[in-house]
């Protein structure tokens, strides 16, 4: 489940999408979502009104959820750093051609081809020497 959310746009997803990605059934998904939320690994991101039936509840990874996903090997540390760099770039209203935005884009590609910087040093600078845990 954590992997399904990790690989969803914006690191958030909803029950039916998680079921499609994992092959799990609804009741086990919603029990797991509740447990992960209670333990602080997920948070309810938003609720979309439904045309028919129950509203769609979206769940997003928290910082603790990202750390857990990295520990479990379902999310790369570089992906976490890229997300944080994009958030900083957005706050500073930087364009896509800014070095910070370009570094975030490079980090999203496994192996970081064409990186003009020390990837490990950047990851450690953003997450800290303990990897953000």
């Amino acid at each position: 489940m954590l992997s399904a959310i990790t690989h969803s746009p914006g690191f958030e997803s909803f029950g039916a999408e998680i079921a499609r990605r994992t092959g799990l059934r609804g009741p086990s998904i919603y029990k797991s979502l509740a447990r992960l939320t209670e333990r602080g690994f997920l948070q309810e991101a938003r609720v979309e009104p439904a045309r028919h039936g129950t509203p769609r509840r979206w769940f997003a990874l928290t910082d603790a959820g990202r750390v857990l996903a990295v520990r479990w090997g379902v999310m790369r540390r570089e992906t976490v750093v890229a997300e944080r760099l994009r958030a900083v770039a957005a706050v500073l209203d930087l364009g896509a051609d800014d070095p910070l935005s370009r570094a975030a884009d490079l980090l999203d590609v496994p192996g970081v081809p064409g990186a003009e910087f020390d990837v490990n040093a950047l990851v450690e600078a953003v997450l800290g020497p303990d990897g953000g845990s």
Side-chain angles (χ1 to χ4, degrees):
M1 285 197 36
L2 204 57
S3 179
I5 295 171
T6 298
H7 293 96
S8 296
F11 305 110
E12 62 180 34
S13 193
F14 55 94
E17 179 65 18
I18 294 169
R20 187 185 67 73
R21 289 177 179 256
T22 64
L24 297 172
R25 304 192 104 175
S28 61
I29 289 172
Y30 290 104
K31 285 179 187 176
S32 295
L33 287 171
R35 272 190 240 114
L36 289 167
T37 301
E38 288 169 8
R39 294 178 181 162
F41 300 121
L42 296 177
Q43 64 185 13
E44 191 170 299
R46 65 182 185 273
V47 177
E48 290 179 352
R51 293 182 200 181
H52 309 289
T54 54
R56 178 177 288 170
R57 293 181 10 201
W58 288 76
F59 293 87
L61 288 174
T62 62
D63 286 340
R66 287 174 179 81
V67 169
L68 183 64
V70 168
R71 279 193 192 140
W72 284 0
V74 296
M75 177 184 249
R76 297 170 52 247
R77 293 174 34 187
E78 293 85 356
T79 301
V80 175
V81 172
E83 177 191 6
R84 290 184 182 175
L85 292 179
R86 283 192 186 96
V88 170
V91 168
L92 296 175
D93 199 25
L94 302 175
D97 291 335
D98 183 81
L100 193 62
S101 299
R102 286 196 322 266
D105 291 342
L106 286 172
L107 286 171
D108 266 344
V109 180
V112 194
E116 303 153 357
F117 53 87
D118 182 340
V119 172
N120 291 327
L122 179 59
V123 168
E124 187 170 309
V126 173
L127 296 180
D130 62 353
S133 55

